[in-house]
Amino acid sequence: MPKPYQADPIIEAFIDDLWSERGLSDNTLSAYRTDLQHFDQYLQQRGVRLIDAARDVVQDYLGKRFDEGLKASSQARLMSSLRRFYGFLLVGKQIDKDPMALISSPKLARKLPDTLTEADIDALLAEPNAEDTIEARDKAMLELLYATGLRVSELVGLTMEQLGLRQGLVRITGKGGKERLVPLGEFALEELERYLSHTRPLLLGEVASDVVFPSSRCRMMTRQTFWHRIKLYALRAGITKALSPHTLRHAFATHLLNHGADLRVVQLLLGHSSLSTTQIYTHVAQARLQQLHSQFHPRG
């Protein structure tokens, strides 16, 4: 009768280190523990300890798991578990050679970002009540977000000196300190001018601030607060699609490409350093066109 499995104590030492140093979620820690215990069981059946596993043994195990039909996301997590674990042992000088060093990770299929249709956007932008001070501010923010494709963090962090209303531009300092000029567009410019002349003074009262879109407490709004505002208006507009803080940024890029914009122009507007990052939106646009063709073409 085989002995019941007893996990190598070094696994818990590794999990404790992850918890204290990395602050990972309980679910992630549990997944790492499970991955390592399965691997440990495999090794114990072959009389091998975790700290003694050579690269060929690890490769045999990975091959076995992949042959069993382990899905791509689980493969990637398993590789991450093993890499981190053996990195931990290497730093702690419990091993002198990393068996994961020359093992490459599987490439995950890139997930297309969820986006909203133009009708969805129209419904969302029409939802805030312009007679309410807070909602009038939100309306200006939503119009600006869709017109420019800014990141939510860039939007809430906007200061008055970044606005060039005469030129119809906004100056953004994005990731890596890179600066870009983004046109506002007619609708967003009109909404922004209306907001600045009427709504913003009501929000600030006697408080002096250079923040374009202050909170009700006259401070810079957090990304989380505005994200909750977006979800509120989406709910009121009857939009049931999965949303993210980048939803309007995705829609901005996809709708530009749908209407014939050049990919490099969209890259510049979004502030992407690499064109390959922007190319994901061409797939979204193509997927949408295929859907429309299938829906409306007589031989679709």
Side-chain angles (χ1 to χ4, degrees):
M1 183 176 178
K3 292 190 301 183
Y5 168 68
Q6 288 189 323
D8 190 321
I10 204 168
I11 294 176
E12 284 308 313
F14 166 67
I15 296 298
D16 288 345
D17 181 74
L18 276 184
W19 179 83
S20 61
E21 296 295 328
R22 307 281 182 175
L24 299 179
S25 71
D26 289 343
N27 286 343
T28 301
L29 294 175
S30 177
Y32 278 16
R33 179 185 288 110
T34 299
D35 284 340
L36 291 170
Q37 286 178 350
H38 284 167
F39 180 48
D40 186 31
Q41 279 185 286
Y42 173 85
L43 293 178
Q44 286 188 23
Q45 290 168 3
R46 285 151 183 78
V48 179
R49 296 186 305 165
L50 278 167
I51 62 171
D52 296 327
R55 190 177 70 199
D56 58 342
V57 176
V58 177
Q59 285 178 317
D60 287 344
Y61 174 72
L62 292 173
K64 174 179 176 292
R65 294 302 310 277
F66 299 163
D67 289 343
E68 290 171 350
L70 194 67
K71 61 183 182 181
S73 58
S74 298
Q75 292 177 25
R77 193 199 66 214
L78 173 58
M79 296 290 286
S80 176
S81 301
L82 293 174
R83 285 192 196 287
R84 284 192 166 192
F85 175 69
Y86 282 108
F88 163 76
L89 296 184
L90 197 64
V91 169
K93 298 186 177 179
Q94 297 182 70
I95 59 173
D96 54 18
K97 187 180 291 186
D98 183 358
M100 297 296 296
L102 299 177
I103 300 178
S104 59
S105 298
K107 288 190 176 181
L108 288 175
R110 195 167 187 183
K111 185 181 183 295
L112 297 180
D114 292 323
T115 191
L116 300 177
T117 66
E118 291 177 41
D120 290 333
I121 291 293
D122 287 341
L124 183 66
L125 297 182
E127 197 53 47
N129 177 9
E131 301 303 315
D132 180 274
T133 303
I134 295 295
E135 294 203 8
R137 176 205 64 193
D138 295 345
K139 183 174 178 60
M141 294 180 79
L142 288 170
E143 288 281 3
L144 186 59
L145 200 59
Y146 178 57
T148 59
L150 299 186
R151 299 175 178 91
V152 171
S153 58
E154 294 169 343
L155 177 74
V156 299
L158 272 182
T159 59
M160 293 299 294
E161 66 178 13
Q162 291 178 263
L163 301 180
L165 299 183
R166 287 187 179 180
Q167 299 82 13
L169 297 170
V170 58
R171 189 177 74 253
I172 300 297
T173 302
K175 291 183 177 180
K178 293 183 178 178
E179 191 173 279
R180 68 187 192 276
L181 293 174
V182 184
L184 289 167
E186 183 180 344
F187 286 99
L189 184 58
E190 288 180 4
E191 194 61 49
L192 186 58
E193 288 176 333
R194 185 160 43 244
Y195 162 78
L196 292 174
S197 63
H198 177 67
T199 308
R200 187 171 179 270
L202 293 176
L203 281 170
L204 288 174
E206 300 299 319
V207 177
S209 174
D210 65 346
V211 176
V212 176
F213 298 111
S215 69
S216 57
R217 297 182 180 181
C218 304
R219 301 172 185 169
M220 183 179 291
M221 195 187 308
T222 66
R223 292 174 301 163
Q224 291 82 0
T225 296
F226 186 60
W227 169 225
H228 287 306
R229 303 297 296 172
I230 293 176
K231 288 196 291 187
L232 168 68
Y233 297 122
L235 183 65
R236 279 169 32 180
I239 296 170
T240 58
K241 295 175 182 174
L243 302 180
S244 78
H246 273 343
T247 292
L248 269 72
R249 181 169 163 86
H250 297 327
F252 164 82
T254 306
H255 296 172
L256 277 175
L257 291 167
N258 282 345
H259 287 275
D262 182 80
L263 187 63
R264 289 196 178 275
V265 171
V266 177
Q267 177 195 358
L268 290 172
L269 293 175
L270 290 173
H272 287 161
S273 57
S274 168
L275 188 63
S276 63
T277 308
T278 316
Q279 282 174 331
I280 188 68
Y281 294 107
T282 64
H283 301 304
V284 176
Q286 287 165 6
R288 175 63 178 155
L289 290 174
Q290 288 170 353
Q291 178 188 350
L292 291 172
H293 182 277
S294 176
Q295 184 176 354
F296 295 112
H297 194 277
R299 293 184 181 274

